[in-house]
Amino acid sequence: MIKVLLVDDDFLVRTFLSRITDWEKHGYTLVGAAQDGEEALHMVQEYQPDIIITDISMPVMDGIELIRRLKQDGNTANIVALSCHDDFEYVKEAMKLGIHEYILKNLLTEESLLELLDGIKRSIVSTNKGGLQFHAPDEEREYYLQLLKGGKQKAEDSFFTSAAMAVHILNYDTHVAMMPMEQQKKFHSSFAQICREACQNVLAVRCVHVHQGQYAVLLDFSGISSIYERREKIQQYASAAVRYAERYLAVPVCIGTSRVEGFQAGTQKCWQEARDALNERFYAPQAVFYGWQMASCGKEIPQLARQFSEEISDYIDRKDGGTIRQQWEAVLEEFRLQHTQQWLVQEWLRQTDRRAGLTQRIMPDKLEDFRGLEAAYLTFREELLPELDSYSSAVSQTIRYLQQNHKKDASLQDAAGQVHLNPAYLSHIFSKETGITFSEYLLSCRINTAKELLAHTGDKIRDVGTQSGFNDYRNFCKTFKRVTGVTPQNYRKQCN
């Protein structure tokens, strides 16, 4: 996107110019509108516009002085002067100072302005690193998306990707996806601009919106031979991108970077390295992950995890809760040791849930949040313990006690009193004979009662929790989601 700054002391003129065309549609980003030259200087420093459209006659600091100051500062922005018929002497002075073009206000139309700006844009693109010209933002995005996938680079493109950053917006669904579509488009444009500004607006940078909350920032470091300097720059860029996203758009981000050793590593390779580094967020809570510090990603599901998924239905049939708990912890540790890619771990959980006969649940985006999810496999239905004759008298009585009293304040102490045993001893023999703990079976009874009520009654969620044995509404919702993977509200929707 070509950045444009408007400068005019007349509010109506500024408003007219800002609305004269759909700037984004034609490949321009309107970064601001200043009311005089002094304000414009501050905005130029902050936004680094490519094109400045300025009035000639203004109070405080007129257009001539603004142009003179910009030239003295070595600013290379293309300047278009706005003038009236009686400003001819000012226009001649502006031309001497090196403005690109001038246009009379009374002749200004959308067509004449776009024609003038498109000529300037072609000049800007041809002098930028790369030399490519795109007719629309979508065309430019599609070209770079193809490069990310390993597509062939155009012969006239002299931009050589030697490093990349994978920028991911956290909680994208709640921060951005809920916006109207038009507002989302503006957000993506603004976010890309922030990424470019974080990279100090150097010419050797490209920012591509890949999908939803993920962006690719491509960098051409071919002019920097020092690996140390490359690393230093990418560290500065990544840190700035995290700060800018939070400060200007109120969105938290996480960034993975590629390695920086290759002088012309190629877009696809750098992008894959950056995504691999970003994968580390699944294992560690930090904002930026540098490719040269990361271990290699596991590209396959570990054998132990495959075996667990294949045998989960057998474990459940045998009511082998001890093995499920033990194997679950071992599988998570194996994922951690191999740094298995996040999407593979999530797909493994989906497959395991399907084999266990569970409904789809929300996928955690951190390995730490996988702890405790095995409870869904341990929440056996009452009918999984039907043959009470196969258990000792104390355990059989306890099972009946839980089936009959789980909707009340059932407890291990009360159950132990019913069978005249020490609570600790009853807990031990119950777990040994059934394969699940007393509390796990109590929870299974309550959750399954809640499922029945949600599926077959119209009772309020709060009342369902109370009728199922949960005294606290918040605890009921939290526990139900942890066990089943969905909220009570969503479970009811799935049943209808």
Side-chain angles (χ1 to χ4, degrees), residues 232-288:
E232 187 177 53
K233 282 190 176 296
I234 208 169
Q235 286 171 337
Q236 292 173 355
Y237 297 165
S239 298
V242 172
R243 294 196 311 273
Y244 290 1
E246 184 69 45
R247 182 187 306 168
Y248 298 118
L249 292 177
V251 291
V253 300
C254 181
I255 298 176
T257 82
S258 67
R259 303 174 185 276
V260 295
E261 289 78 9
F263 286 83
Q264 291 184 8
T267 304
Q268 184 182 29
K269 180 180 179 182
C270 288
W271 175 236
Q272 186 59 57
E273 288 177 353
R275 292 178 64 191
D276 285 351
L278 185 60
N279 181 69
E280 283 302 300
R281 179 183 171 272
F282 188 58
Y283 298 95
Q286 62 191 66
V288 183

Side-chain angles (χ1 to χ4, degrees), residues 56-57 62 64 86-95:
I56 292 291
S57 301
D62 63 23
I64 298 299
D86 55 358
D87 289 335
F88 186 66
E89 292 301 322
Y90 285 108
V91 172
K92 287 199 299 183
E93 181 66 21
M95 295 293 285

Side-chain angles (χ1 to χ4, degrees), residues 183-211:
Q183 194 173 347
Q184 285 188 42
K185 290 174 61 178
K186 291 182 179 179
F187 175 89
H188 290 311
S189 177
S190 299
F191 192 86
Q193 182 58 41
I194 278 178
C195 289
R196 285 190 289 267
E197 290 180 5
C199 298
Q200 302 172 6
N201 284 306
V202 295
L203 297 179
V205 59
R206 303 287 185 269
C207 184
V208 187
H209 176 217
V210 181
H211 63 81

Side-chain angles (χ1 to χ4, degrees), residues 3 14 35 45 64 70 104 122 131 182 190 192 199 214 216 243 279 301 309 385 446 485:
K3 293 181 291 181
R14 293 200 305 274
Q35 61 184 352
Q45 185 174 9
I64 298 299
L70 289 172
L104 296 175
R122 285 192 293 271
E182 192 62 31
S190 299
C199 298
Q214 192 166 85
R243 294 196 311 273
N279 181 69
I301 296 175
S309 181
L385 301 179
R446 288 174 171 169

